[in-house]
Amino acid sequence: MEAPPPYSLCNPNKKSTIINRSYALLHSVAITSLIFYRLSSFFHSTPSLPLLLAFTSELILSVLWLLSQAFLWRPFTLQTFPERLLQDKNDDELPAIDVFICTADPEKEPPLEVTNTVLSAMAMDYPAEKLSVYVSDDGGCGLTLYAMKEAWEFGRYWVPFCTRFGIKTRCPKLYFSRYDDEFLGQGYEAEKEKIKLKYKLMEKKVQKAESNGKMLAEFNTKNHPAHVEVMQDESHNANDTNQVKMPRLVYVSREKNPSYHHHFKAGALNVLLRVSNMISNSPYILVLDCDMRCNDPTSAKQAMCFHLDPKINSNLAFVQFPQKFHNLSKMDIYDGQLRSTFLVKWPGMDGLQGPMLSGSGFYMKRKALYRDIVQEDTDFTQLKQYLGPSNELVKSLKSAKYNTDVTSRLLEETRFLASCKYEEGTQRGKQVGFLYMSLLEDYFTGFNLHCEGWKSIFYNPPSPAFLGTATTKLNDTLLQGSRWNCGALQVTFSKFCPLIYGLKSRMSLLQRMCYVYLSLPPFYFFPIWCLATIPQLCLLHGIPLYPKVSNSWFMVFSYIFIMSQLKHLEEVLLTGDPIRTWWNEQRIWMMKAIISYTIGLLNAVLKLLGLKEANFIPTNKAADDEQITFYQKGLFNFQASTVVLTPLITLV
């Protein structure tokens, strides 16, 4: 009997593989020759301090280059066939999905933007009764709750409208800003105008509440009680075929208290994990940032092509989609698209155990977050030691229940699960859920999953699955980079250092090299600072650091520099970007190496010594017309904080 066609295909990129491996071989020979030249010169004369610093810089760059080649060794591209999935599975057989959306500060993350993300998730092309959307409001702000209630009311019209006419852009703000409208059937235009009026009304209500300022004045991001509110159609009748089915919307604001560490985004996600266990308990979870709207409504079905594939689903932890952005300029001077990460490195990891977790836009298997702790034969008391004192929570993990009715007793239990004290004495954040210890909860959690033998998949569909808001300010770009680098180094300086911890895991050598590289970028700061100062000073004082042009060894140094630039240019052109992208990436990388890597390293060292507490500052997603004008014109705006500019100005 012929096997049924697969839901997905994995295609090795043979051309890129040949180019990458040939380049790696030739470049390795050149670097080995450079090291031989340096060492042999040391035997003929005592090396000076500038020469030793230059050689140390070259060694660091060589090691980091070698580690980075793991990303290029086996690149893959993937393809999905949702139509085949739908031939085998009807709506009743598709698994349920819980959508987690996190927001923390209504001033930096405007509630109206969050409502658009929520509505785009509620309107996904997936059975409505199989979707539950959870919003974590870490600020505990009444304005955000009010906006969610307005979103729910508008969603009662928006979701059926999108389903009836097969709307492709399901974020209302982006949909109503389009000009390339098309005829989608009789009654479409009239219905669209009605929906648009309702959206404008919702927009005005939220803006009015925001301008009033009362709800904003009351919010305290560091101290507030737990609050859980469920929005669903109470009159829903399963036998009523005329009843419009709506996804459930759940607002969650966990308790905050200065006496307890809240563990930033990882803590918020773990609260959503517990609360959703009690209400929907869906086997799969989609995690989104509050500005990362669902652009392609079929992304859930695309992800299920991997998760439901019997050949790979047993050890598949998550499917990661790339982070793409709707507000990028043609110049993209700040490398907001993160081209190298999502178009070069992650496809390369697809040929290994899969990409690292990337914060947003991933479909995670709930079981993977509980590891192997929850088994049928696991003792109930032992489970409570791992997961906390809630009997109801432990029971929910051993069943596949879906609560159609959320009682007051159930709500009370969810508030208990969202309290500060709940995680005390448990393995939450240590062995269960999203892991703590690092500001980069995604990197640390993904690393541990891969160490345990789980795999992941990176899927970059032709149409972007999600569209977010890229940073358009130099200050935000560099501070965001310093936070990422600090988080990576927190893992590097711990017992979970990928260089050591990965040795005892079930992780392949190439995969381990990728994680080691991702944990070490801050160390670029040393060679960049040295090579940006020492050769220039030596030139002024007549101290030779490099062979003369007439010397044959000069060709080795020239080859390494020219070929590394040509390889970068080849990657840029291969991913469909113009030559100016190569120049822009070179500029912003230099700035990040000098500022983000330096600040990230200093912060990580201070935290390690206990001289500074970890701090997570959300990126400002509120529109700034002046900054956007500079960004669109391709002009750097150096109106940044003193901390950000000090390293750069010092070097200049």
Side-chain angles (χ1 to χ4, degrees):
M1 185 177 175
E2 195 173 326
Y7 301 149
S8 62
L9 282 180
C10 191
N11 306 307
N13 196 329
K14 294 180 181 178
K15 181 181 175 182
S16 291
T17 300
I18 293 170
I19 293 173
N20 294 342
R21 293 184 183 184
S22 301
Y23 163 73
L25 176 63
L26 294 172
H27 212 72
S28 297
V29 172
I31 287 175
T32 304
S33 302
L34 183 151
I35 294 171
F36 173 78
Y37 167 78
R38 288 296 194 201
L39 291 175
S40 60
S41 67
F42 291 166
F43 287 110
H44 294 93
S45 61
T46 304
S48 61
L49 178 61
L51 194 59
L52 285 173
L53 289 173
F55 181 47
T56 304
S57 299
E58 289 161 358
L59 284 177
I60 293 172
L61 290 173
S62 299
V63 170
L64 289 170
W65 173 83
L66 179 63
L67 292 170
S68 71
Q69 296 313 293
F71 294 106
L72 307 176
W73 196 250
R74 199 181 297 158
F76 272 74
T77 56
L78 295 164
Q79 189 178 3
T80 61
F81 304 97
E83 65 280 0
R84 294 178 184 174
L85 174 70
L86 298 177
Q87 285 175 1
D88 293 348
K89 310 274 185 187
N90 57 41
D91 285 358
D92 292 336
E93 294 174 305
L94 289 173
I97 298 173
D98 289 339
V99 184
F100 291 176
I101 299 170
C102 294
T103 183
D105 187 336
E107 294 175 341
K108 292 185 176 180
E109 299 165 340
L112 201 55
E113 300 300 315
V114 182
T115 61
N116 274 277
T117 302
V118 168
L119 288 163
S120 70
M122 291 174 67
M124 280 201 296
D125 183 14
Y126 204 76
E129 66 276 14
K130 296 292 182 77
L131 276 177
S132 296
V133 180
Y134 293 81
V135 178
S136 169
D137 174 19
D138 246 15
C141 182
L143 178 61
T144 305
L145 175 57
Y146 176 76
M148 292 306 103
K149 289 179 178 178
E150 289 297 322
W152 165 256
E153 289 302 323
F154 174 70
R156 295 165 68 89
Y157 303 96
W158 176 246
V159 172
F161 171 71
C162 292
T163 305
R164 179 184 170 191
F165 294 105
I167 304 298
K168 292 180 181 177
T169 304
R170 301 203 174 182
C171 167
K173 182 178 180 179
L174 297 181
Y175 172 74
F176 290 123
S177 65
R178 292 187 323 169
Y179 295 101
D180 56 338
D181 218 348
E182 55 184 295
F183 180 73
L184 296 175
Q186 189 174 5
Y188 165 67
E189 288 294 338
E191 191 66 23
K192 178 187 173 183
E193 286 306 311
K194 287 181 185 177
I195 297 294
K196 189 173 183 178
L197 287 173
K198 291 183 183 297
Y199 175 71
K200 292 295 181 185
L201 180 62
M202 180 198 77
E203 204 174 35
K204 283 180 181 177
K205 285 183 177 180
V206 175
Q207 287 173 343
K208 185 179 179 182
E210 193 170 354
S211 61
N212 191 0
K214 266 189 184 178
M215 295 175 180
L216 273 174
E218 293 170 358
F219 110 93
N220 185 337
T221 187
K222 295 181 179 179
N223 194 356
H224 55 79
H227 184 76
V228 180
E229 197 157 327
V230 179
M231 287 157 257
Q232 64 179 8
D233 195 341
E234 302 295 342
S235 62
H236 179 73
N237 184 349
N239 299 319
D240 185 358
T241 55
N242 295 319
Q243 174 73 41
V244 174
K245 295 178 180 177
M246 280 284 292
R248 178 185 282 152
L249 177 59
V250 184
Y251 169 88
V252 179
S253 178
R254 58 177 172 148
E255 182 188 5
K256 286 282 198 71
N257 189 311
S259 304
Y260 295 87
H261 200 303
H262 54 82
H263 301 292
F264 311 110
K265 184 180 175 182
L269 287 171
N270 280 337
V271 169
L272 291 184
L273 188 64
R274 296 197 292 273
V275 171
S276 63
N277 263 127
M278 297 298 301
I279 297 174
S280 48
N281 202 20
S282 301
Y284 295 97
I285 294 163
L286 165 62
V287 175
L288 296 175
D289 284 340
C290 63
D291 65 319
M292 193 61 69
R293 299 147 188 173
C294 300
N295 180 65
D296 186 344
T298 65
S299 68
K301 291 175 181 175
Q302 292 169 2
M304 289 307 124
C305 287
F306 300 108
H307 276 301
L308 300 182
D309 188 329
K311 293 181 181 178
I312 60 176
N313 72 347
S314 60
N315 63 348
L316 177 61
F318 61 91
V319 177
Q320 177 70 59
F321 286 81
Q323 293 182 20
K324 297 192 176 183
F325 307 94
H326 64 83
N327 65 329
L328 292 176
S329 69
K330 290 183 179 179
M331 296 288 285
D332 189 23
I333 54 174
Y334 300 133
D335 187 27
Q337 64 174 327
L338 301 173
R339 184 201 59 82
S340 177
T341 298
F342 291 118
L343 296 182
V344 179
K345 291 185 175 68
W346 275 206
M349 293 184 81
D350 252 337
L352 309 175
Q353 277 178 263
M356 65 166 265
L357 210 57
S358 305
S360 178
F362 60 87
Y363 286 86
M364 171 77 74
K365 186 182 291 180
R366 187 184 290 265
K367 182 182 174 184
L369 291 170
Y370 285 100
R371 315 309 197 273
D372 295 324
I373 293 169
V374 183
Q375 302 288 346
E376 287 185 11
D377 56 346
T378 309
D379 181 63
F380 193 86
T381 307
Q382 186 182 355
L383 274 178
K384 287 181 68 175
Q385 290 175 351
Y386 273 96
L387 306 175
S390 173
N391 292 329
E392 295 299 320
L393 176 64
V394 175
K395 288 176 186 175
S396 73
L397 290 169
K398 291 207 167 192
S399 67
K401 70 172 185 176
Y402 183 98
N403 288 304
T404 53
D405 297 315
V406 181
T407 62
S408 57
R409 180 173 171 273
L410 183 63
L411 272 178
E412 193 60 39
E413 187 71 13
T414 59
R415 292 186 188 108
F416 170 53
L417 294 170
S419 63
C420 293
K421 297 179 180 179
Y422 187 81
E423 292 187 351
E424 283 188 326
T426 72
Q427 293 302 308
R428 297 274 177 183
K430 299 173 185 174
Q431 297 183 45
V432 179
F434 294 89
L435 303 185
Y436 304 151
M437 191 196 74
S438 169
L439 289 173
L440 276 186
E441 82 292 328
D442 46 3
Y443 168 83
F444 189 35
T445 303
F447 171 65
N448 274 269
L449 287 171
H450 283 132
C451 283
E452 293 164 13
W454 289 93
K455 291 189 176 181
S456 60
I457 278 174
F458 176 73
Y459 181 53
N460 187 6
S463 175
F466 308 99
L467 284 175
T469 307
T471 55
T472 56
K473 293 171 65 176
L474 180 64
N475 192 69
D476 288 347
T477 300
L478 296 175
L479 285 178
Q480 186 182 61
S482 66
R483 187 181 75 225
W484 290 344
N485 286 290
C486 177
L489 281 177
Q490 282 179 296
V491 180
T492 307
F493 293 157
S494 72
K495 67 175 182 179
F496 297 99
C497 175
L499 194 62
I500 303 166
Y501 189 75
L503 292 172
K504 4 179 225 191
S505 70
R506 288 178 277 174
M507 193 184 288
S508 66
L509 173 63
L510 289 173
Q511 184 81 3
R512 189 159 61 248
M513 286 174 65
C514 291
Y515 270 105
V516 172
Y517 175 82
L518 291 168
S519 70
L520 296 179
F523 288 98
Y524 272 119
F525 96 97
F526 182 83
I528 292 298
W529 276 86
C530 287
L531 298 178
T533 53
I534 292 172
Q536 293 82 343
L537 293 172
C538 288
L539 183 66
L540 289 172
H541 290 83
I543 303 172
L545 282 182
Y546 302 100
K548 294 181 179 179
V549 177
S550 57
N551 191 324
S552 58
W553 284 104
F554 180 79
M555 295 299 295
V556 174
F557 287 85
S558 302
Y559 174 86
I560 290 173
F561 173 74
I562 293 169
M563 285 307 296
S564 63
Q565 296 304 317
L566 288 177
K567 184 66 177 74
H568 181 197
L569 183 59
E570 178 260 343
E571 289 175 2
V572 167
L573 297 176
L574 202 64
T575 54
D577 284 89
I579 293 177
R580 70 166 176 263
T581 299
W582 164 79
W583 174 244
N584 288 332
E585 287 184 359
Q586 289 287 329
R587 286 194 305 178
I588 195 63
W589 184 83
M590 288 289 185
M591 290 187 186
K592 286 179 179 177
I594 294 165
I595 299 170
S596 298
Y597 295 164
T598 304
I599 294 174
L601 180 66
L602 287 173
N603 284 341
V605 171
L606 290 174
K607 289 177 177 65
L608 182 68
L609 298 174
L611 300 176
K612 185 177 181 180
E613 290 186 5
N615 192 20
F616 186 101
I617 302 172
T619 306
N620 193 350
K621 298 176 178 75
D624 185 328
D625 293 337
E626 183 186 1
Q627 294 289 350
I628 291 171
T629 302
F630 273 101
Y631 173 69
Q632 293 295 338
K633 289 179 179 179
L635 301 173
F636 283 95
N637 189 341
F638 289 98
Q639 293 176 344
S641 65
T642 308
V643 174
V644 166
L645 289 182
T646 297
L648 188 62
I649 292 170
T650 302
L651 187 60
V652 171

